Amino acid sequence: MSTAAVRPEFLKALEDFDMSVGGELKPRLREMVRLRVSHINGCSYCIRLHSEQLATLGTSPELISALARPVKLMRDDIVSEGDAAALRFAEILTDPPRGLEIEARDAAGQFFTRKQLGAIVETVAVTNAWNRVTRGME
């Protein structure tokens, strides 16, 4: 069995790009989005990485574990209403039941500015890219 060899220049460009997105979000929410997206994509390396990042930020193990489930199945006391809206938007951008993007964006828009919504979109897009690269190289 052979593994994919992604060019180092591509990985460096993706890493640099990743560092430039999501800055409008609080670091904890950015990592929550990254972890939720990685769970949806089944990327074990990224799940471990973002779980560790959240732990470093002081996030409870209960919340880190909860991010493995769809936000609609999380207990109400686990995440704020705004964070839940951001996570739901991220879920739909990652694994969309078509036609719900606008509804999810509008719901998240009640808690976040246009720039912050854009940061969620950027964070989801780059996390999806990393998940695919990582899974392709496993």
Side-chain angles (χ1 to χ4, degrees):
M1 174 157 96
S2 83
T3 59
V6 176
R7 293 178 303 122
E9 301 85 13
F10 176 82
L11 294 174
K12 176 69 172 127
L14 187 56
E15 184 177 278
D16 291 346
F17 185 56
D18 187 27
M19 296 300 290
S20 73
V21 302
E24 296 290 326
L25 303 175
K26 292 180 181 176
R28 180 175 170 268
L29 178 58
R30 183 175 181 226
E31 288 304 316
M32 287 170 61
V33 167
R34 287 172 154 182
L35 179 55
R36 182 68 199 113
V37 168
S38 295
H39 273 296
I40 292 167
N41 288 324
C43 182
S44 59
Y45 173 82
C46 294
I47 290 168
R48 186 175 55 255
L49 174 72
H50 299 303
S51 294
E52 290 170 1
Q53 289 293 329
L54 279 167
T56 299
L57 292 170
T59 305
S60 73
E62 185 177 42
L63 173 56
I64 293 170
S65 294
L67 290 165
R69 297 184 300 275
V71 72
K72 287 186 172 187
L73 299 179
M74 289 182 199
R75 288 192 342 250
D76 292 341
D77 64 334
I78 291 283
V79 293
S80 70
E81 196 175 350
D83 288 351
L87 291 167
R88 180 66 180 145
F89 189 35
E91 288 173 347
I92 288 172
L93 290 172
T94 300
D95 189 20
R98 296 289 172 204
L100 294 181
E101 295 89 350
I102 293 171
E103 176 186 320
R105 185 199 60 223
D106 290 349
Q110 294 176 27
F111 303 96
F112 300 95
T113 66
R114 290 182 69 233
K115 284 186 178 184
Q116 289 171 318
L117 287 173
I120 293 169
V121 172
E122 293 169 359
T123 301
V124 169
V126 173
T127 303
N128 279 316
W130 272 120
N131 293 164
R132 280 148 182 80
V133 167
T134 302
R135 288 186 64 203
M137 293 182 359
E138 289 179 336

